[in-house]
Amino acid sequence: MTTTSEAWTPPESEPAAAPAPISPADVTEAARLVSFGLQAKLLPARDAEYGELVRRYREDPPFGRLADAVATGMGLVVLEVSARAGMAVAAAEDSVFAVRMGDYSRRAASESTDRFLHGLAHLAVAALAFPRPEDLADDGYLGRVTVNGVDAFVRQACRRLEERAEAEGANTDPASDAPGLEAAWRVWARRSATGATKDARRLAGSTTGIVSKAVSFLVDSGFLQKTSDDSGGTYRTTARYQLQVRDLAGGAAMAELLDLGVVPVSDGTPTLAPPDESDELVADAGLPFHAL
């Protein structure tokens, strides 16, 4: 009896399923998610549709890539998409949504010197909100800043810079190409903290007035939330601001400001160095920040 054996061949594998086509409804939802991200103060927890779109972004990779592409086409950079921050986006330099610091400062002040001080105020707020690298890395960290505390911090930095300039025999009138902070401390230190009125009202051109304008802008941008009127105004940071400062943290100016040692870190609790008695400080210029 003859047995005929046939060569075994493996079954043909099924062809990979083609990706689902992108529908107009998908594009609409992706654009809708980006539009939510542009509403700086809105969080997924406060809007059911926003929360559902964030969930889909994280669980449906093709939809996530589509939303990223929509954002890119609008000149936006996606920093994070999460329940805590929503769709946090930053505008690229050439984006129609970009709010340049120069535009802000021109609106905030007419004098070029004041515009420079507004930039310094923003730098100081960021440095105080997240003084340590681990603060930026910890998604659960909340910084707190106060208007009076920020002014006190900058004045402390001014004093440290003045001491350094004297030790190095620096000219009291720095050249135009001097480092930004070296040139800035003289301007800020000479400016009144509150103004010259009899009741010491906060004037727009005073240093606390400049800080107040800066934090108000950050509140409108969804970066800070006001918690009280204490110490000239007390504010806490948002997840969106933490993401923005992560990008700023590598800047030379911020590193130079923190390296002055005005914010010593010992047991993990940030604090201001004791002020010099000659410093002009407004009332309640105490701790400008802490972890909540």
Side-chain angles (χ1 to χ4, degrees), residues 13-84:
S13 57
E14 296 182 0
I22 297 175
S23 69
D26 292 329
V27 177
T28 298
E29 290 200 346
R32 181 68 172 159
L33 175 59
V34 175
S35 73
F36 279 128
L38 289 169
Q39 300 177 57
K41 296 182 180 181
L42 184 63
L43 294 175
R46 299 176 184 173
D47 189 288
E49 182 186 3
Y50 192 8
E52 176 59 25
L53 290 173
V54 166
R55 183 201 62 77
R56 184 180 177 190
Y57 178 99
R58 296 176 63 84
E59 298 179 1
D60 183 353
F63 177 75
R65 291 191 293 270
L66 178 60
D68 288 343
V70 171
T72 300
M74 297 172 67
L76 300 170
V77 178
V78 179
L79 301 176
E80 179 177 298
V81 180
S82 65
R84 77 181 188 109

Side-chain angles (χ1 to χ4, degrees), residues 233-283:
T234 300
Y235 303 81
R236 68 179 180 183
T237 59
T238 65
R240 186 179 292 258
Y241 190 48
Q242 186 181 46
L243 294 170
Q244 291 282 347
V245 176
R246 281 177 184 169
D247 286 342
L248 173 68
M254 187 170 182
E256 186 181 357
L257 190 58
L258 289 175
D259 285 346
L260 290 174
V262 178
V263 187
V265 178
S266 53
D267 62 352
T269 302
T271 180
L272 279 176
D276 187 276
E277 291 183 359
S278 62
D279 285 342
E280 179 201 6
L281 299 178
V282 295

Side-chain angles (χ1 to χ4, degrees), residues 197-245:
T197 59
K198 293 182 179 180
D199 57 358
R201 283 179 297 139
R202 180 189 296 166
L203 299 182
S206 67
T207 54
T208 54
I210 289 171
V211 174
S212 179
K213 176 73 74 172
V215 295
S216 294
F217 172 79
L218 293 172
V219 169
D220 292 340
S221 301
F223 295 144
L224 296 179
Q225 294 176 342
K226 188 171 184 179
T227 59
S228 76
D229 292 323
D230 296 342
S231 299
T234 300
Y235 303 81
R236 68 179 180 183
T237 59
T238 65
R240 186 179 292 258
Y241 190 48
Q242 186 181 46
L243 294 170
Q244 291 282 347
V245 176

Side-chain angles (χ1 to χ4, degrees), residues 62-129:
F63 177 75
R65 291 191 293 270
L66 178 60
D68 288 343
V70 171
T72 300
M74 297 172 67
L76 300 170
V77 178
V78 179
L79 301 176
E80 179 177 298
V81 180
S82 65
R84 77 181 188 109
M87 187 175 212
V89 294
E93 291 185 2
D94 58 349
S95 172
V96 68
F97 298 103
V99 178
R100 294 174 175 80
M101 182 56 70
D103 296 335
Y104 154 76
S105 61
R106 279 190 291 274
R107 293 196 301 267
S110 57
E111 297 294 330
S112 59
T113 300
D114 282 6
R115 292 199 293 267
F116 187 79
L117 294 181
H118 278 273
L120 182 56
H122 276 272
L123 181 65
V125 171
L128 285 177

Side-chain angles (χ1 to χ4, degrees), residues 168-192:
E168 296 175 354
N171 192 318
T172 56
D173 295 316
S176 58
D177 60 351
L181 292 182
E182 291 287 3
W185 67 261
R186 295 175 174 84
V187 182
W188 193 285
R190 293 170 182 169
R191 186 67 62 91
S192 171

Side-chain angles (χ1 to χ4, degrees), residues 104-175:
Y104 154 76
S105 61
R106 279 190 291 274
R107 293 196 301 267
S110 57
E111 297 294 330
S112 59
T113 300
D114 282 6
R115 292 199 293 267
F116 187 79
L117 294 181
H118 278 273
L120 182 56
H122 276 272
L123 181 65
V125 171
L128 285 177
F130 305 101
R132 304 167 299 176
E134 52 265 41
D135 300 334
L136 281 176
D138 181 3
D139 289 345
Y141 181 86
L142 290 176
R144 188 187 74 169
V145 297
T146 70
V147 169
N148 294 350
V150 171
D151 182 58
F153 168 63
V154 178
R155 290 184 181 277
Q156 287 287 70
C158 292
R159 182 166 62 88
R160 294 293 176 89
L161 287 165
E162 182 177 12
E163 292 171 352
R164 188 169 72 182
E166 290 178 352
E168 296 175 354
N171 192 318
T172 56
D173 295 316

